[in-house]
Amino acid sequence: MTTISYADLRATSPGGRFVLTAQSPDNATTSHRSGLPPSGSELPFGRPVFQESFYYQLLEHVPGGVEPRVVWERWQKDGELSPHEVLVSDGGWSVIRTHGFDPEVIAVSPSGQDVLRVCIPGLRQEAEGDCLIWRPLHLMWTTAGTFWSGASWPYFFHDGGTDFFVWRTYWGQRLVLDLTRAALIPEQEAPVHVMDATEQREVSVLMTELTGRLKEVQAFFADPDAPQPIRPKALRAIAAIHLVGAHRIQACLPLLQEWESVDLPISSMSSTAFPGATIETQFFRPTVQHSMRLLGAEPRGLAPYRFLGARGSVPESVPDRRERARALKQNMRAQTVLLQMGNPDCVFKQSRKVDGDTLSTETWEYDFLVDRQWKTLQLVWEERRSRSRITHMEEMPAPWLQSDARVRELLQYL
């Protein structure tokens, strides 16, 4: 089983009135019994992992007061998983997201009462006790637990005398809680227009602030373990960039154009199309460019992926790519395609069983804006007999305008 670390958490309400903290004695820098630093036997992995016994506090800053007052205290309950995220509203509503194989979203009232427990089906498929079931359309099952909340956008809002909490996933599905009535409600029964407006407003505000602090954001991602004030907001950057495109927020296009220049490699993987080469993926750029296209704007062409180990100089930005694409042949090698077209706009890998063997494919996508309409060229590569070849080549109306498949590919591991 993969080790999981649960750090101490702290969240501040948007207006700064409330602070919600979650702390575990397992994260203490000294031993509770001896007062000495933890021994190797207490930290078998060299750092705290599987922390438990979290103690939650809601603090309120009282005008004129020197110290914040404690509104309520709460201990992690028996059978309750440890937290990975906490949030608090200016009205004092708190939300705890636990992590593990049966994660939950727990809503706590301003008086400190647990009013809602929503279970995300993992090992447990049915509701137990007072836990309500909410089923995400996309889940990632790993030995480190069930993941569903990456690149998401959680928020509180008030409408018509009712307090709500929403957790919008990166593929667009929303978990909606009516906090006032302690109910999990279907999205179609919620005030969708208010949710859309809230998301657009919050995203625009955050994007404006983070773009003005790009150097701080880059410094944070260069050393994410260092204590930095911008951390909570920087962690929401990729979700905000995605939602600019999803909501077609045209006013944020100049901001995206600044983000496109951020050079931040995040991961690498082997290439099926180009044996011996490694595909290096940028963190922000694929999502930035995708949102720009959703706004009808062509990116500058800075590479969202780079093929390390390619012979020759792969051009960063290629003019007239659609004209160049007309010269592509299915018998071309990956090296030749890269020199002809430059790096693809999207790369995703798939595998399937064929006659008992695992067949891996790698798809490259190139996007073209033609008469204000987006077209996508797909090249599908398969490795056969130690050589990769194009098995499918087709230009089509951009499928990412009608499907969330590309968004899921870009964001599912972030």
Side-chain angles (χ1 to χ4, degrees), residues 110-128:
S111 63
Q113 301 299 311
D114 291 5
V115 295
L116 274 170
R117 288 176 58 235
V118 180
C119 302
I120 312 299
L123 298 176
R124 176 178 60 205
Q125 291 296 313
E126 301 299 330
E128 294 182 1

Side-chain angles (χ1 to χ4, degrees), residues 377-391:
L377 172 66
Q378 284 189 345
L379 307 178
V380 181
W381 300 83
E382 289 184 6
E383 186 176 0
R384 296 181 178 178
R385 297 179 181 177
S386 301
R387 177 181 173 180
S388 295
R389 61 186 296 269
I390 299 173
T391 59

Side-chain angles (χ1 to χ4, degrees), residues 105 118 120 134 148 165-169 173-177 184-185 187 195:
V105 174
V118 180
I120 312 299
W134 182 72
W148 64 275
F165 175 78
V166 178
W167 210 306
R168 179 183 173 128
T169 62
Q173 184 183 6
R174 289 167 167 137
L175 164 64
V176 184
L177 304 182
L184 168 65
I185 61 176
E187 182 177 347
M195 295 190 293

Side-chain angles (χ1 to χ4, degrees), residues 30-36 39 42:
T30 59
S31 168
H32 300 289
R33 294 181 299 276
S34 66
L36 298 174
S39 66
E42 291 175 300

